Amino acid sequence: DADVTQTPRNRITKTGKRIMLECSQTKGHDRMYWYRQDPGLGLRLIYYSFDVKDINKGEISDGYSVSRQAQAKFSLSLESAIPNQTALYFCATSDPGLAGGYTQYFGPGTRLTVL
Amino acid sequence: AQSVTQLGSHVSVSEGALVLLRCNYSSSVPPYLFWYVQYPNQGLQLLLKYTSAATLVKGINGFEAEFKKSETSFHLTKPSAHMSDAAEYFCAVSLTGGGNKLTFGTGTQLKVEL
């Protein structure tokens, strides 16, 4: 079974609709992240959470919100979707590792299309 | 602030040839450096990471990378390319003590030809 799961895997929605992307992890990690990937731009950080009570904005948080319902669950919401939010969205978790340098583990991604 | 530059958005090599994917970083403090691979329709998978333990880092699938502080580089290499290596590769940096936020490069698409 996958350690980091994302639902849905694909979603097509219309401009103005509210949509939620969900992420669950079984790795027991405290830290979780949401990224979006656009061709030629790499991955950009939307929000991150170091524990249930600690949520922080990333570099491109405008138009997005998040909820950390439990250690294992971190949801990303688009309150009113717009076409330029069409992208591939990834959830990730991290741990400190034995040598330091938190390694991030990624889910399979959600492909979102906003018409 | 940290940043990563990947030179070459597309690299093409012949099967059996050397793979060299370039990554340069900018960081005001000692960095942690990562290479991730993304196969089509999949998430990112860690290839290797540098955490200051050794400058030459070996990863999965025969890849390795060398940290060169004087050149601020962390290039990824593999002696002999396989068709299965075709994927997109991302270099990323995080700062020691920086809460481990990753900053990614824009990616390099590797094509392996017969």
Side-chain angles (χ1 to χ4, degrees), chain B residues 2 5 7 9-11 16 18 22 31 33 36-38 48 57 64 67 70-71 77 82 92-93 102 107 113-114:
Chain B
Q2 70 268 30
T5 301
L7 295 176
S9 59
H10 292 82
V11 170
L18 172 72
R22 299 178 185 274
L33 293 160
Y36 282 87
V37 60
Q38 184 181 28
L48 50 81
V57 181
E64 63 182 35
F67 173 71
S70 61
E71 299 177 8
T77 61
H82 295 266
V93 61
L102 280 180
E113 299 174 318
L114 289 172

Short mmCIF file of all heavy atoms in Angstrom, two decimals, chain B residues 2 5 7 9-11 16 18 22 31 33 36-38 48 57 64 67 70-71 77 82 92-93 102 107 113-114:
data_model
loop_
_atom_site.label_atom_id
_atom_site.label_comp_id
_atom_site.label_asym_id
_atom_site.label_seq_id
_atom_site.Cartn_x
_atom_site.Cartn_y
_atom_site.Cartn_z
N GLN B 2 17.33 30.58 -0.73
CA GLN B 2 18.05 29.61 -1.55
C GLN B 2 17.40 29.50 -2.92
O GLN B 2 16.21 29.82 -3.08
CB GLN B 2 18.07 28.23 -0.88
CG GLN B 2 16.73 27.52 -0.83
CD GLN B 2 15.94 27.80 0.42
OE1 GLN B 2 16.05 28.86 1.02
NE2 GLN B 2 15.16 26.83 0.84
N THR B 5 19.34 26.23 -9.97
CA THR B 5 19.29 26.38 -11.42
C THR B 5 19.67 25.06 -12.07
O THR B 5 20.74 24.52 -11.78
CB THR B 5 20.26 27.47 -11.90
OG1 THR B 5 19.90 28.71 -11.27
CG2 THR B 5 20.18 27.63 -13.40
N LEU B 7 20.55 23.54 -15.61
CA LEU B 7 20.90 23.93 -16.97
C LEU B 7 20.44 22.86 -17.94
O LEU B 7 20.84 21.70 -17.83
CB LEU B 7 22.41 24.13 -17.08
CG LEU B 7 22.96 25.29 -16.25
CD1 LEU B 7 24.47 25.34 -16.34
CD2 LEU B 7 22.35 26.61 -16.71
N SER B 9 16.72 22.22 -20.10
CA SER B 9 15.41 21.68 -19.76
C SER B 9 15.18 20.31 -20.41
O SER B 9 14.35 19.54 -19.96
CB SER B 9 14.30 22.64 -20.19
OG SER B 9 14.38 22.88 -21.58
N HIS B 10 15.94 20.05 -21.47
CA HIS B 10 15.87 18.76 -22.15
C HIS B 10 17.28 18.28 -22.46
O HIS B 10 18.11 19.03 -22.98
CB HIS B 10 15.08 18.87 -23.46
CG HIS B 10 13.62 19.14 -23.25
ND1 HIS B 10 13.12 20.40 -23.02
CD2 HIS B 10 12.55 18.30 -23.23
CE1 HIS B 10 11.81 20.32 -22.87
NE2 HIS B 10 11.44 19.06 -22.99
N VAL B 11 17.55 17.02 -22.11
CA VAL B 11 18.82 16.40 -22.41
C VAL B 11 18.55 15.07 -23.10
O VAL B 11 17.69 14.31 -22.65
CB VAL B 11 19.65 16.17 -21.13
CG1 VAL B 11 20.87 15.31 -21.41
CG2 VAL B 11 20.07 17.50 -20.52
N GLY B 16 23.57 3.65 -23.15
CA GLY B 16 24.95 3.29 -22.88
C GLY B 16 25.89 4.46 -22.70
O GLY B 16 27.02 4.29 -22.24
N LEU B 18 27.13 8.30 -21.18
CA LEU B 18 27.14 8.98 -19.90
C LEU B 18 25.95 9.93 -19.78
O LEU B 18 25.64 10.66 -20.72
CB LEU B 18 28.44 9.77 -19.74
CG LEU B 18 28.54 10.71 -18.54
CD1 LEU B 18 28.69 9.91 -17.26
CD2 LEU B 18 29.71 11.67 -18.73
N ARG B 22 22.88 18.84 -14.93
CA ARG B 22 23.55 19.89 -14.18
C ARG B 22 22.62 20.60 -13.20
O ARG B 22 21.46 20.88 -13.52
CB ARG B 22 24.16 20.91 -15.13
CG ARG B 22 25.20 20.32 -16.06
CD ARG B 22 25.76 21.35 -17.03
NE ARG B 22 26.66 20.74 -17.99
CZ ARG B 22 27.96 20.55 -17.77
NH1 ARG B 22 28.50 20.92 -16.63
NH2 ARG B 22 28.70 19.99 -18.70
N PRO B 31 23.88 23.95 2.63
CA PRO B 31 22.59 23.41 2.17
C PRO B 31 22.49 21.91 2.31
O PRO B 31 23.49 21.21 2.44
CB PRO B 31 22.60 23.79 0.69
CG PRO B 31 24.05 23.60 0.31
CD PRO B 31 24.85 24.02 1.53
N LEU B 33 21.01 19.06 -0.28
CA LEU B 33 20.71 19.01 -1.71
C LEU B 33 20.11 17.66 -2.06
O LEU B 33 20.53 16.63 -1.52
CB LEU B 33 21.97 19.26 -2.53
CG LEU B 33 22.53 20.68 -2.40
CD1 LEU B 33 24.00 20.72 -2.82
CD2 LEU B 33 21.72 21.66 -3.24
N TYR B 36 15.52 14.34 -7.30
CA TYR B 36 14.32 13.53 -7.40
C TYR B 36 14.09 13.17 -8.87
O TYR B 36 14.45 13.94 -9.77
CB TYR B 36 13.09 14.30 -6.91
CG TYR B 36 12.96 14.38 -5.40
CD1 TYR B 36 13.58 15.41 -4.69
CD2 TYR B 36 12.20 13.45 -4.70
CE1 TYR B 36 13.45 15.50 -3.31
CE2 TYR B 36 12.06 13.53 -3.31
CZ TYR B 36 12.68 14.56 -2.63
OH TYR B 36 12.55 14.64 -1.27
N VAL B 37 13.43 12.04 -9.09
CA VAL B 37 13.07 11.62 -10.43
C VAL B 37 11.55 11.47 -10.50
O VAL B 37 10.91 11.02 -9.53
CB VAL B 37 13.77 10.30 -10.83
CG1 VAL B 37 13.41 9.15 -9.91
CG2 VAL B 37 13.45 9.93 -12.28
N GLN B 38 11.00 11.86 -11.63
CA GLN B 38 9.56 11.72 -11.86
C GLN B 38 9.34 10.95 -13.15
O GLN B 38 9.62 11.47 -14.23
CB GLN B 38 8.88 13.09 -11.91
CG GLN B 38 7.38 13.00 -12.06
CD GLN B 38 6.73 14.38 -12.14
OE1 GLN B 38 7.34 15.34 -12.58
NE2 GLN B 38 5.50 14.47 -11.71
N LEU B 48 18.73 10.59 -4.52
CA LEU B 48 19.83 10.72 -3.57
C LEU B 48 19.76 12.08 -2.89
O LEU B 48 19.05 12.96 -3.35
CB LEU B 48 21.19 10.55 -4.28
CG LEU B 48 21.45 11.37 -5.54
CD1 LEU B 48 21.89 12.78 -5.22
CD2 LEU B 48 22.49 10.69 -6.42
N VAL B 57 27.88 11.36 -3.41
CA VAL B 57 26.70 10.67 -2.90
C VAL B 57 26.21 9.67 -3.94
O VAL B 57 26.04 10.02 -5.11
CB VAL B 57 25.56 11.68 -2.61
CG1 VAL B 57 24.35 10.96 -2.04
CG2 VAL B 57 26.04 12.77 -1.66
N GLU B 64 24.73 8.93 -9.22
CA GLU B 64 25.50 9.54 -8.16
C GLU B 64 25.64 11.03 -8.43
O GLU B 64 25.41 11.49 -9.56
CB GLU B 64 26.88 8.90 -7.99
CG GLU B 64 27.79 9.03 -9.17
CD GLU B 64 29.13 8.33 -8.92
OE1 GLU B 64 29.14 7.27 -8.25
OE2 GLU B 64 30.14 8.85 -9.39
N PHE B 67 28.95 16.89 -4.57
CA PHE B 67 28.80 18.23 -4.05
C PHE B 67 30.12 18.96 -4.18
O PHE B 67 31.15 18.51 -3.67
CB PHE B 67 28.38 18.19 -2.57
CG PHE B 67 28.36 19.53 -1.88
CD1 PHE B 67 27.39 20.46 -2.19
CD2 PHE B 67 29.32 19.85 -0.93
CE1 PHE B 67 27.37 21.69 -1.56
CE2 PHE B 67 29.30 21.08 -0.29
CZ PHE B 67 28.32 22.00 -0.60
N SER B 70 32.99 24.85 -4.03
CA SER B 70 33.66 25.94 -4.75
C SER B 70 32.92 26.31 -6.03
O SER B 70 33.00 27.45 -6.49
CB SER B 70 35.10 25.55 -5.08
OG SER B 70 35.12 24.41 -5.91
N GLU B 71 32.23 25.36 -6.60
CA GLU B 71 31.48 25.60 -7.84
C GLU B 71 29.98 25.74 -7.57
O GLU B 71 29.21 25.93 -8.53
CB GLU B 71 31.72 24.45 -8.82
CG GLU B 71 33.17 24.29 -9.22
CD GLU B 71 33.40 23.11 -10.14
OE1 GLU B 71 32.41 22.49 -10.60
OE2 GLU B 71 34.58 22.79 -10.41
N THR B 77 25.07 12.26 -12.23
CA THR B 77 25.69 11.48 -13.30
C THR B 77 25.31 10.00 -13.19
O THR B 77 24.95 9.51 -12.12
CB THR B 77 27.23 11.59 -13.28
OG1 THR B 77 27.71 11.08 -12.03
CG2 THR B 77 27.68 13.02 -13.47
N HIS B 82 20.26 3.86 -19.49
CA HIS B 82 19.33 2.81 -19.90
C HIS B 82 18.04 3.46 -20.37
O HIS B 82 17.69 4.57 -19.94
CB HIS B 82 19.04 1.86 -18.74
CG HIS B 82 20.23 1.08 -18.29
ND1 HIS B 82 20.52 -0.18 -18.75
CD2 HIS B 82 21.21 1.41 -17.44
CE1 HIS B 82 21.63 -0.61 -18.18
NE2 HIS B 82 22.09 0.34 -17.38
N ALA B 92 16.84 19.90 -5.92
CA ALA B 92 16.18 20.71 -4.90
C ALA B 92 17.16 21.02 -3.78
O ALA B 92 18.08 20.25 -3.52
CB ALA B 92 14.95 20.00 -4.36
N VAL B 93 16.92 22.13 -3.12
CA VAL B 93 17.78 22.56 -2.02
C VAL B 93 16.93 22.92 -0.81
O VAL B 93 15.83 23.44 -0.95
CB VAL B 93 18.65 23.78 -2.44
CG1 VAL B 93 17.78 24.97 -2.81
CG2 VAL B 93 19.64 24.15 -1.36
N LEU B 102 11.70 22.84 0.78
CA LEU B 102 12.46 22.54 -0.43
C LEU B 102 12.20 23.60 -1.49
O LEU B 102 11.06 23.97 -1.72
CB LEU B 102 12.08 21.18 -0.99
CG LEU B 102 12.67 19.93 -0.35
CD1 LEU B 102 12.15 18.69 -1.07
CD2 LEU B 102 14.19 19.96 -0.40
N GLY B 107 13.54 21.52 -13.51
CA GLY B 107 13.49 20.17 -14.04
C GLY B 107 14.25 20.00 -15.34
O GLY B 107 14.39 20.93 -16.14
N GLU B 113 17.92 7.50 -26.21
CA GLU B 113 17.68 6.99 -27.56
C GLU B 113 18.48 5.74 -27.84
O GLU B 113 19.59 5.57 -27.31
CB GLU B 113 18.02 8.08 -28.58
CG GLU B 113 17.18 9.35 -28.41
CD GLU B 113 17.64 10.46 -29.35
OE1 GLU B 113 18.85 10.65 -29.51
OE2 GLU B 113 16.76 11.13 -29.92
N LEU B 114 17.93 4.90 -28.67
CA LEU B 114 18.65 3.67 -29.06
C LEU B 114 19.83 4.01 -29.96
O LEU B 114 19.78 4.97 -30.73
CB LEU B 114 17.70 2.71 -29.78
CG LEU B 114 16.64 2.04 -28.91
CD1 LEU B 114 15.66 1.27 -29.79
CD2 LEU B 114 17.33 1.09 -27.94
#
